[in-house]
mmCIF file of all heavy atoms in Angstrom:
data_model
loop_
_atom_site.group_PDB
_atom_site.id
_atom_site.type_symbol
_atom_site.label_atom_id
_atom_site.label_comp_id
_atom_site.label_asym_id
_atom_site.label_seq_id
_atom_site.Cartn_x
_atom_site.Cartn_y
_atom_site.Cartn_z
ATOM 1 N N GLU A 994 102.785 76.957 90.608
ATOM 2 C CA GLU A 994 102.694 75.829 89.674
ATOM 3 C C GLU A 994 101.523 74.915 90.015
ATOM 4 O O GLU A 994 100.830 74.402 89.127
ATOM 5 C CB GLU A 994 104.003 75.032 89.721
ATOM 6 C CG GLU A 994 104.055 73.874 88.735
ATOM 7 C CD GLU A 994 105.378 73.124 88.786
ATOM 8 O OE1 GLU A 994 106.288 73.573 89.516
ATOM 9 O OE2 GLU A 994 105.497 72.079 88.097
ATOM 10 N N LYS A 995 101.276 74.711 91.304
ATOM 11 C CA LYS A 995 100.203 73.828 91.748
ATOM 12 C C LYS A 995 98.831 74.398 91.420
ATOM 13 O O LYS A 995 97.883 73.648 91.139
ATOM 14 C CB LYS A 995 100.335 73.608 93.262
ATOM 15 C CG LYS A 995 99.247 72.753 93.896
ATOM 16 C CD LYS A 995 99.378 71.294 93.556
ATOM 17 C CE LYS A 995 98.396 70.459 94.330
ATOM 18 N NZ LYS A 995 98.482 69.012 94.001
ATOM 19 N N PHE A 996 98.711 75.744 91.441
ATOM 20 C CA PHE A 996 97.412 76.379 91.222
ATOM 21 C C PHE A 996 97.521 77.407 90.086
ATOM 22 O O PHE A 996 97.418 78.619 90.313
ATOM 23 C CB PHE A 996 96.942 77.058 92.516
ATOM 24 C CG PHE A 996 96.909 76.125 93.703
ATOM 25 C CD1 PHE A 996 97.885 76.198 94.689
ATOM 26 C CD2 PHE A 996 95.922 75.149 93.818
ATOM 27 C CE1 PHE A 996 97.871 75.331 95.769
ATOM 28 C CE2 PHE A 996 95.904 74.276 94.897
ATOM 29 C CZ PHE A 996 96.878 74.360 95.876
ATOM 30 N N PRO A 997 97.705 76.910 88.855
ATOM 31 C CA PRO A 997 97.948 77.810 87.716
ATOM 32 C C PRO A 997 96.765 78.699 87.361
ATOM 33 O O PRO A 997 96.943 79.725 86.706
ATOM 34 C CB PRO A 997 98.287 76.846 86.583
ATOM 35 C CG PRO A 997 97.613 75.560 86.960
ATOM 36 C CD PRO A 997 97.717 75.491 88.449
ATOM 37 N N HIS A 998 95.571 78.303 87.777
ATOM 38 C CA HIS A 998 94.382 79.091 87.433
ATOM 39 C C HIS A 998 94.044 80.125 88.511
ATOM 40 O O HIS A 998 93.034 80.824 88.397
ATOM 41 C CB HIS A 998 93.190 78.159 87.195
ATOM 42 C CG HIS A 998 93.432 77.165 86.114
ATOM 43 N ND1 HIS A 998 93.697 77.532 84.803
ATOM 44 C CD2 HIS A 998 93.486 75.808 86.131
ATOM 45 C CE1 HIS A 998 93.887 76.457 84.070
ATOM 46 N NE2 HIS A 998 93.767 75.390 84.853
ATOM 47 N N CYS A 999 94.858 80.203 89.534
ATOM 48 C CA CYS A 999 94.690 81.211 90.592
ATOM 49 C C CYS A 999 95.796 82.251 90.472
ATOM 50 O O CYS A 999 96.907 81.946 90.039
ATOM 51 C CB CYS A 999 94.784 80.563 91.977
ATOM 52 S SG CYS A 999 93.419 79.479 92.396
ATOM 53 N N THR A 1000 95.484 83.451 90.870
ATOM 54 C CA THR A 1000 96.516 84.472 91.011
ATOM 55 C C THR A 1000 97.110 84.362 92.414
ATOM 56 O O THR A 1000 96.384 84.193 93.390
ATOM 57 C CB THR A 1000 95.923 85.879 90.827
ATOM 58 O OG1 THR A 1000 95.320 85.969 89.534
ATOM 59 C CG2 THR A 1000 96.993 86.949 90.961
ATOM 60 N N ILE A 1001 98.427 84.409 92.490
ATOM 61 C CA ILE A 1001 99.114 84.436 93.780
ATOM 62 C C ILE A 1001 99.508 85.887 94.031
ATOM 63 O O ILE A 1001 100.321 86.449 93.296
ATOM 64 C CB ILE A 1001 100.377 83.551 93.790
ATOM 65 C CG1 ILE A 1001 100.091 82.160 93.192
ATOM 66 C CG2 ILE A 1001 100.949 83.458 95.195
ATOM 67 C CD1 ILE A 1001 99.125 81.324 93.964
ATOM 68 N N VAL A 1002 98.921 86.493 95.036
ATOM 69 C CA VAL A 1002 99.226 87.890 95.366
ATOM 70 C C VAL A 1002 100.129 87.922 96.595
ATOM 71 O O VAL A 1002 99.731 87.490 97.681
ATOM 72 C CB VAL A 1002 97.942 88.700 95.656
ATOM 73 C CG1 VAL A 1002 98.308 90.133 96.048
ATOM 74 C CG2 VAL A 1002 97.016 88.694 94.443
ATOM 75 N N ILE A 1003 101.350 88.407 96.412
ATOM 76 C CA ILE A 1003 102.268 88.591 97.540
ATOM 77 C C ILE A 1003 102.111 90.027 98.026
ATOM 78 O O ILE A 1003 102.298 90.983 97.259
ATOM 79 C CB ILE A 1003 103.727 88.317 97.141
ATOM 80 C CG1 ILE A 1003 103.879 86.901 96.581
ATOM 81 C CG2 ILE A 1003 104.656 88.527 98.337
ATOM 82 C CD1 ILE A 1003 105.279 86.578 96.070
ATOM 83 N N ARG A 1004 101.751 90.161 99.286
ATOM 84 C CA ARG A 1004 101.578 91.489 99.894
ATOM 85 C C ARG A 1004 102.614 91.643 101.003
ATOM 86 O O ARG A 1004 102.401 91.221 102.141
ATOM 87 C CB ARG A 1004 100.158 91.628 100.448
ATOM 88 C CG ARG A 1004 99.857 92.989 101.078
ATOM 89 C CD ARG A 1004 98.455 93.001 101.685
ATOM 90 N NE ARG A 1004 98.244 94.153 102.529
ATOM 91 C CZ ARG A 1004 97.667 95.291 102.154
ATOM 92 N NH1 ARG A 1004 97.222 95.404 100.905
ATOM 93 N NH2 ARG A 1004 97.511 96.296 102.991
ATOM 94 N N PRO A 1005 103.764 92.244 100.701
ATOM 95 C CA PRO A 1005 104.808 92.396 101.718
ATOM 96 C C PRO A 1005 104.385 93.373 102.814
ATOM 97 O O PRO A 1005 103.517 94.232 102.607
ATOM 98 C CB PRO A 1005 106.001 92.943 100.924
ATOM 99 C CG PRO A 1005 105.704 92.623 99.492
ATOM 100 C CD PRO A 1005 104.214 92.700 99.385
ATOM 101 N N HIS A 1006 105.017 93.247 103.954
ATOM 102 C CA HIS A 1006 104.830 94.192 105.056
ATOM 103 C C HIS A 1006 105.150 95.597 104.549
ATOM 104 O O HIS A 1006 106.029 95.768 103.690
ATOM 105 C CB HIS A 1006 105.765 93.804 106.206
ATOM 106 C CG HIS A 1006 105.585 94.631 107.426
ATOM 107 N ND1 HIS A 1006 106.197 95.858 107.584
ATOM 108 C CD2 HIS A 1006 104.871 94.413 108.559
ATOM 109 C CE1 HIS A 1006 105.869 96.366 108.759
ATOM 110 N NE2 HIS A 1006 105.060 95.514 109.374
ATOM 111 N N PRO A 1007 104.454 96.641 105.070
ATOM 112 C CA PRO A 1007 104.703 98.004 104.594
ATOM 113 C C PRO A 1007 106.161 98.446 104.666
ATOM 114 O O PRO A 1007 106.582 99.293 103.879
ATOM 115 C CB PRO A 1007 103.833 98.863 105.522
ATOM 116 C CG PRO A 1007 102.740 97.962 105.968
ATOM 117 C CD PRO A 1007 103.356 96.595 106.059
ATOM 118 N N GLY A 1008 106.937 97.891 105.604
ATOM 119 C CA GLY A 1008 108.328 98.299 105.741
ATOM 120 C C GLY A 1008 109.295 97.493 104.889
ATOM 121 O O GLY A 1008 110.496 97.767 104.882
ATOM 122 N N GLU A 1009 108.786 96.509 104.161
ATOM 123 C CA GLU A 1009 109.666 95.628 103.381
ATOM 124 C C GLU A 1009 109.988 96.174 101.995
ATOM 125 O O GLU A 1009 109.187 96.889 101.384
ATOM 126 C CB GLU A 1009 109.015 94.251 103.203
ATOM 127 C CG GLU A 1009 109.172 93.311 104.361
ATOM 128 C CD GLU A 1009 108.766 91.887 103.996
ATOM 129 O OE1 GLU A 1009 109.467 91.268 103.170
ATOM 130 O OE2 GLU A 1009 107.755 91.404 104.529
ATOM 131 N N SER A 1010 111.140 95.758 101.501
ATOM 132 C CA SER A 1010 111.487 95.977 100.097
ATOM 133 C C SER A 1010 110.682 95.010 99.228
ATOM 134 O O SER A 1010 110.487 93.839 99.597
ATOM 135 C CB SER A 1010 112.980 95.736 99.880
ATOM 136 O OG SER A 1010 113.280 95.690 98.500
ATOM 137 N N LEU A 1011 110.220 95.480 98.082
ATOM 138 C CA LEU A 1011 109.468 94.617 97.168
ATOM 139 C C LEU A 1011 110.387 93.810 96.251
ATOM 140 O O LEU A 1011 109.956 92.815 95.668
ATOM 141 C CB LEU A 1011 108.525 95.460 96.298
ATOM 142 C CG LEU A 1011 107.511 96.356 97.013
ATOM 143 C CD1 LEU A 1011 106.597 97.015 95.972
ATOM 144 C CD2 LEU A 1011 106.688 95.574 98.008
ATOM 145 N N LYS A 1012 111.640 94.227 96.126
ATOM 146 C CA LYS A 1012 112.507 93.686 95.082
ATOM 147 C C LYS A 1012 112.663 92.170 95.137
ATOM 148 O O LYS A 1012 112.548 91.491 94.120
ATOM 149 C CB LYS A 1012 113.884 94.351 95.130
ATOM 150 C CG LYS A 1012 114.782 93.917 93.965
ATOM 151 C CD LYS A 1012 116.128 94.615 94.005
ATOM 152 C CE LYS A 1012 116.965 94.227 92.790
ATOM 153 N NZ LYS A 1012 117.147 92.771 92.635
ATOM 154 N N VAL A 1013 112.934 91.621 96.330
ATOM 155 C CA VAL A 1013 113.160 90.181 96.407
ATOM 156 C C VAL A 1013 111.929 89.410 95.938
ATOM 157 O O VAL A 1013 112.037 88.383 95.265
ATOM 158 C CB VAL A 1013 113.567 89.771 97.841
ATOM 159 C CG1 VAL A 1013 112.443 90.023 98.840
ATOM 160 C CG2 VAL A 1013 113.977 88.302 97.892
ATOM 161 N N TRP A 1014 110.747 89.928 96.255
ATOM 162 C CA TRP A 1014 109.506 89.257 95.848
ATOM 163 C C TRP A 1014 109.231 89.469 94.363
ATOM 164 O O TRP A 1014 108.736 88.565 93.678
ATOM 165 C CB TRP A 1014 108.340 89.765 96.691
ATOM 166 C CG TRP A 1014 108.565 89.564 98.159
ATOM 167 C CD1 TRP A 1014 108.742 90.524 99.108
ATOM 168 C CD2 TRP A 1014 108.660 88.306 98.858
ATOM 169 N NE1 TRP A 1014 108.941 89.967 100.350
ATOM 170 C CE2 TRP A 1014 108.893 88.605 100.228
ATOM 171 C CE3 TRP A 1014 108.569 86.969 98.454
ATOM 172 C CZ2 TRP A 1014 109.028 87.615 101.196
ATOM 173 C CZ3 TRP A 1014 108.707 85.970 99.418
ATOM 174 C CH2 TRP A 1014 108.941 86.294 100.762
ATOM 175 N N GLN A 1015 109.565 90.647 93.859
ATOM 176 C CA GLN A 1015 109.389 90.910 92.424
ATOM 177 C C GLN A 1015 110.305 90.030 91.587
ATOM 178 O O GLN A 1015 109.927 89.570 90.508
ATOM 179 C CB GLN A 1015 109.642 92.392 92.135
ATOM 180 C CG GLN A 1015 108.554 93.301 92.684
ATOM 181 C CD GLN A 1015 108.916 94.776 92.620
ATOM 182 O OE1 GLN A 1015 110.100 95.135 92.561
ATOM 183 N NE2 GLN A 1015 107.918 95.636 92.642
ATOM 184 N N ASP A 1016 111.503 89.787 92.092
ATOM 185 C CA ASP A 1016 112.437 88.901 91.383
ATOM 186 C C ASP A 1016 111.871 87.482 91.290
ATOM 187 O O ASP A 1016 112.011 86.802 90.263
ATOM 188 C CB ASP A 1016 113.790 88.875 92.091
ATOM 189 C CG ASP A 1016 114.557 90.180 91.930
ATOM 190 O OD1 ASP A 1016 114.185 90.982 91.050
ATOM 191 O OD2 ASP A 1016 115.522 90.400 92.694
ATOM 192 N N ILE A 1017 111.244 87.035 92.360
ATOM 193 C CA ILE A 1017 110.633 85.704 92.362
ATOM 194 C C ILE A 1017 109.425 85.681 91.435
ATOM 195 O O ILE A 1017 109.239 84.729 90.654
ATOM 196 C CB ILE A 1017 110.226 85.310 93.797
ATOM 197 C CG1 ILE A 1017 111.470 85.102 94.657
ATOM 198 C CG2 ILE A 1017 109.351 84.048 93.788
ATOM 199 C CD1 ILE A 1017 111.179 84.936 96.139
ATOM 200 N N ALA A 1018 108.611 86.722 91.482
ATOM 201 C CA ALA A 1018 107.391 86.783 90.668
ATOM 202 C C ALA A 1018 107.701 86.831 89.178
ATOM 203 O O ALA A 1018 106.887 86.380 88.355
ATOM 204 C CB ALA A 1018 106.563 87.995 91.066
ATOM 205 N N ARG A 1019 108.856 87.338 88.820
ATOM 206 C CA ARG A 1019 109.212 87.482 87.418
ATOM 207 C C ARG A 1019 109.226 86.134 86.698
ATOM 208 O O ARG A 1019 108.974 86.058 85.480
ATOM 209 C CB ARG A 1019 110.589 88.154 87.317
ATOM 210 C CG ARG A 1019 110.896 88.733 85.954
ATOM 211 C CD ARG A 1019 112.143 89.600 85.996
ATOM 212 N NE ARG A 1019 111.935 90.811 86.775
ATOM 213 C CZ ARG A 1019 112.604 91.134 87.862
ATOM 214 N NH1 ARG A 1019 113.547 90.331 88.332
ATOM 215 N NH2 ARG A 1019 112.355 92.263 88.504
ATOM 216 N N ASP A 1020 109.493 85.067 87.429
ATOM 217 C CA ASP A 1020 109.564 83.738 86.820
ATOM 218 C C ASP A 1020 108.251 82.967 86.943
ATOM 219 O O ASP A 1020 108.192 81.796 86.567
ATOM 220 C CB ASP A 1020 110.700 82.932 87.477
ATOM 221 C CG ASP A 1020 112.063 83.563 87.244
ATOM 222 O OD1 ASP A 1020 112.274 84.119 86.148
ATOM 223 O OD2 ASP A 1020 112.904 83.514 88.157
ATOM 224 N N CYS A 1021 107.212 83.594 87.479
ATOM 225 C CA CYS A 1021 105.921 82.925 87.682
ATOM 226 C C CYS A 1021 104.826 83.793 87.076
ATOM 227 O O CYS A 1021 104.553 84.895 87.577
ATOM 228 C CB CYS A 1021 105.659 82.701 89.166
ATOM 229 S SG CYS A 1021 106.970 81.834 90.058
ATOM 230 N N LYS A 1022 104.206 83.319 86.020
ATOM 231 C CA LYS A 1022 103.262 84.170 85.282
ATOM 232 C C LYS A 1022 102.010 84.530 86.071
ATOM 233 O O LYS A 1022 101.332 85.514 85.756
ATOM 234 C CB LYS A 1022 102.863 83.492 83.968
ATOM 235 C CG LYS A 1022 102.111 82.174 84.135
ATOM 236 C CD LYS A 1022 101.759 81.583 82.781
ATOM 237 C CE LYS A 1022 100.975 80.281 82.932
ATOM 238 N NZ LYS A 1022 100.625 79.694 81.616
ATOM 239 N N ASN A 1023 101.667 83.753 87.105
ATOM 240 C CA ASN A 1023 100.445 84.034 87.861
ATOM 241 C C ASN A 1023 100.723 84.610 89.257
ATOM 242 O O ASN A 1023 99.888 84.537 90.144
ATOM 243 C CB ASN A 1023 99.577 82.780 87.982
ATOM 244 C CG ASN A 1023 100.290 81.618 88.662
ATOM 245 O OD1 ASN A 1023 101.510 81.484 88.567
ATOM 246 N ND2 ASN A 1023 99.543 80.766 89.346
ATOM 247 N N VAL A 1024 101.919 85.182 89.437
ATOM 248 C CA VAL A 1024 102.281 85.794 90.723
ATOM 249 C C VAL A 1024 102.444 87.297 90.540
ATOM 250 O O VAL A 1024 103.109 87.750 89.614
ATOM 251 C CB VAL A 1024 103.585 85.195 91.280
ATOM 252 C CG1 VAL A 1024 103.990 85.902 92.570
ATOM 253 C CG2 VAL A 1024 103.427 83.699 91.521
ATOM 254 N N VAL A 1025 101.810 88.064 91.427
ATOM 255 C CA VAL A 1025 101.966 89.520 91.424
ATOM 256 C C VAL A 1025 102.375 89.971 92.821
ATOM 257 O O VAL A 1025 102.040 89.329 93.822
ATOM 258 C CB VAL A 1025 100.677 90.246 90.991
ATOM 259 C CG1 VAL A 1025 100.334 89.921 89.551
ATOM 260 C CG2 VAL A 1025 99.520 89.908 91.907
ATOM 261 N N VAL A 1026 103.105 91.071 92.883
ATOM 262 C CA VAL A 1026 103.541 91.645 94.154
ATOM 263 C C VAL A 1026 102.885 93.010 94.290
ATOM 264 O O VAL A 1026 103.126 93.915 93.482
ATOM 265 C CB VAL A 1026 105.072 91.781 94.216
ATOM 266 C CG1 VAL A 1026 105.510 92.360 95.551
ATOM 267 C CG2 VAL A 1026 105.735 90.432 93.965
ATOM 268 N N LEU A 1027 102.041 93.167 95.304
ATOM 269 C CA LEU A 1027 101.284 94.401 95.471
ATOM 270 C C LEU A 1027 101.164 94.745 96.952
ATOM 271 O O LEU A 1027 101.045 93.855 97.785
ATOM 272 C CB LEU A 1027 99.866 94.259 94.900
ATOM 273 C CG LEU A 1027 99.714 94.016 93.400
ATOM 274 C CD1 LEU A 1027 98.283 93.623 93.083
ATOM 275 C CD2 LEU A 1027 100.100 95.268 92.621
ATOM 276 N N HIS A 1028 101.198 96.027 97.228
ATOM 277 C CA HIS A 1028 100.805 96.488 98.563
ATOM 278 C C HIS A 1028 99.944 97.720 98.333
ATOM 279 O O HIS A 1028 100.440 98.851 98.260
ATOM 280 C CB HIS A 1028 101.996 96.815 99.448
ATOM 281 C CG HIS A 1028 101.590 97.038 100.873
ATOM 282 N ND1 HIS A 1028 101.792 96.103 101.865
ATOM 283 C CD2 HIS A 1028 100.939 98.064 101.466
ATOM 284 C CE1 HIS A 1028 101.294 96.547 103.002
ATOM 285 N NE2 HIS A 1028 100.763 97.746 102.777
ATOM 286 N N GLU A 1029 98.661 97.502 98.213
ATOM 287 C CA GLU A 1029 97.727 98.566 97.890
ATOM 288 C C GLU A 1029 96.577 98.589 98.893
ATOM 289 O O GLU A 1029 95.948 97.572 99.142
ATOM 290 C CB GLU A 1029 97.146 98.357 96.485
ATOM 291 C CG GLU A 1029 98.165 98.354 95.369
ATOM 292 C CD GLU A 1029 97.543 98.014 94.028
ATOM 293 O OE1 GLU A 1029 96.355 97.636 93.987
ATOM 294 O OE2 GLU A 1029 98.264 98.130 93.014
ATOM 295 N N GLY A 1030 96.323 99.749 99.452
ATOM 296 C CA GLY A 1030 95.157 99.933 100.302
ATOM 297 C C GLY A 1030 95.204 99.124 101.582
ATOM 298 O O GLY A 1030 96.157 98.379 101.848
ATOM 299 N N PRO A 1031 94.153 99.254 102.408
ATOM 300 C CA PRO A 1031 94.090 98.512 103.667
ATOM 301 C C PRO A 1031 93.968 97.018 103.419
ATOM 302 O O PRO A 1031 93.491 96.573 102.368
ATOM 303 C CB PRO A 1031 92.832 99.074 104.347
ATOM 304 C CG PRO A 1031 92.019 99.644 103.240
ATOM 305 C CD PRO A 1031 92.985 100.130 102.204
ATOM 306 N N VAL A 1032 94.384 96.217 104.394
ATOM 307 C CA VAL A 1032 94.423 94.770 104.207
ATOM 308 C C VAL A 1032 93.040 94.132 104.308
ATOM 309 O O VAL A 1032 92.812 93.035 103.768
ATOM 310 C CB VAL A 1032 95.385 94.128 105.234
ATOM 311 C CG1 VAL A 1032 94.774 94.119 106.639
ATOM 312 C CG2 VAL A 1032 95.784 92.712 104.810
ATOM 313 N N GLN A 1033 92.085 94.782 104.965
ATOM 314 C CA GLN A 1033 90.780 94.154 105.209
ATOM 315 C C GLN A 1033 90.098 93.646 103.938
ATOM 316 O O GLN A 1033 89.664 92.494 103.895
ATOM 317 C CB GLN A 1033 89.858 95.116 105.975
ATOM 318 C CG GLN A 1033 90.273 95.375 107.404
ATOM 319 C CD GLN A 1033 91.197 96.570 107.530
ATOM 320 O OE1 GLN A 1033 91.854 96.962 106.572
ATOM 321 N NE2 GLN A 1033 91.254 97.159 108.721
ATOM 322 N N PRO A 1034 89.953 94.472 102.881
ATOM 323 C CA PRO A 1034 89.299 93.947 101.685
ATOM 324 C C PRO A 1034 90.053 92.806 101.025
ATOM 325 O O PRO A 1034 89.441 91.902 100.447
ATOM 326 C CB PRO A 1034 89.192 95.164 100.762
ATOM 327 C CG PRO A 1034 90.109 96.182 101.312
ATOM 328 C CD PRO A 1034 90.220 95.918 102.780
ATOM 329 N N TRP A 1035 91.370 92.808 101.128
ATOM 330 C CA TRP A 1035 92.161 91.708 100.575
ATOM 331 C C TRP A 1035 91.855 90.402 101.314
ATOM 332 O O TRP A 1035 91.726 89.343 100.696
ATOM 333 C CB TRP A 1035 93.657 92.029 100.676
ATOM 334 C CG TRP A 1035 94.105 93.114 99.745
ATOM 335 C CD1 TRP A 1035 94.183 94.451 100.013
ATOM 336 C CD2 TRP A 1035 94.528 92.957 98.387
ATOM 337 N NE1 TRP A 1035 94.634 95.137 98.922
ATOM 338 C CE2 TRP A 1035 94.857 94.248 97.904
ATOM 339 C CE3 TRP A 1035 94.674 91.862 97.537
ATOM 340 C CZ2 TRP A 1035 95.313 94.470 96.599
ATOM 341 C CZ3 TRP A 1035 95.132 92.066 96.246
ATOM 342 C CH2 TRP A 1035 95.448 93.355 95.786
ATOM 343 N N LEU A 1036 91.740 90.493 102.628
ATOM 344 C CA LEU A 1036 91.433 89.300 103.424
ATOM 345 C C LEU A 1036 90.019 88.805 103.150
ATOM 346 O O LEU A 1036 89.762 87.595 103.136
ATOM 347 C CB LEU A 1036 91.605 89.611 104.911
ATOM 348 C CG LEU A 1036 93.044 89.859 105.375
ATOM 349 C CD1 LEU A 1036 93.062 90.438 106.787
ATOM 350 C CD2 LEU A 1036 93.865 88.575 105.317
ATOM 351 N N LEU A 1037 89.100 89.724 102.936
ATOM 352 C CA LEU A 1037 87.716 89.344 102.657
ATOM 353 C C LEU A 1037 87.556 88.774 101.249
ATOM 354 O O LEU A 1037 86.671 87.950 101.008
ATOM 355 C CB LEU A 1037 86.796 90.561 102.826
ATOM 356 C CG LEU A 1037 86.582 91.044 104.262
ATOM 357 C CD1 LEU A 1037 85.961 92.442 104.273
ATOM 358 C CD2 LEU A 1037 85.710 90.064 105.038
ATOM 359 N N ALA A 1038 88.409 89.188 100.327
ATOM 360 C CA ALA A 1038 88.264 88.770 98.929
ATOM 361 C C ALA A 1038 89.032 87.508 98.573
ATOM 362 O O ALA A 1038 88.683 86.812 97.611
ATOM 363 C CB ALA A 1038 88.711 89.909 98.001
ATOM 364 N N CYS A 1039 90.085 87.180 99.327
ATOM 365 C CA CYS A 1039 90.944 86.059 98.933
ATOM 366 C C CYS A 1039 90.278 84.711 99.204
ATOM 367 O O CYS A 1039 89.411 84.585 100.070
ATOM 368 C CB CYS A 1039 92.286 86.136 99.658
ATOM 369 S SG CYS A 1039 92.226 85.767 101.420
#
């Protein structure tokens, strides 16, 4: 809500279930839950 013009990307630990985070993201239009590829480019891009 504070940063509506930014995308909030939740990247759970590889061993975590995504469901709890997906349930939260469902009510926030700018929140996505993803675990794709190595973390390095995500850290460099955020």
Side-chain angles (χ1 to χ4, degrees):
E994 183 179 355
K995 177 73 173 179
F996 305 105
H998 302 299
C999 291
T1000 301
I1001 313 295
V1002 178
I1003 303 176
R1004 181 184 168 96
H1006 185 276
E1009 278 192 67
S1010 169
L1011 303 185
K1012 186 178 183 305
V1013 65
W1014 302 113
Q1015 290 170 337
D1016 289 345
I1017 292 170
R1019 197 169 292 119
D1020 297 324
C1021 306
K1022 64 180 181 180
N1023 59 330
V1024 177
V1025 295
V1026 181
L1027 296 168
H1028 191 104
E1029 299 175 352
V1032 74
Q1033 291 91 338
W1035 289 92
L1036 291 168
L1037 289 165
C1039 71

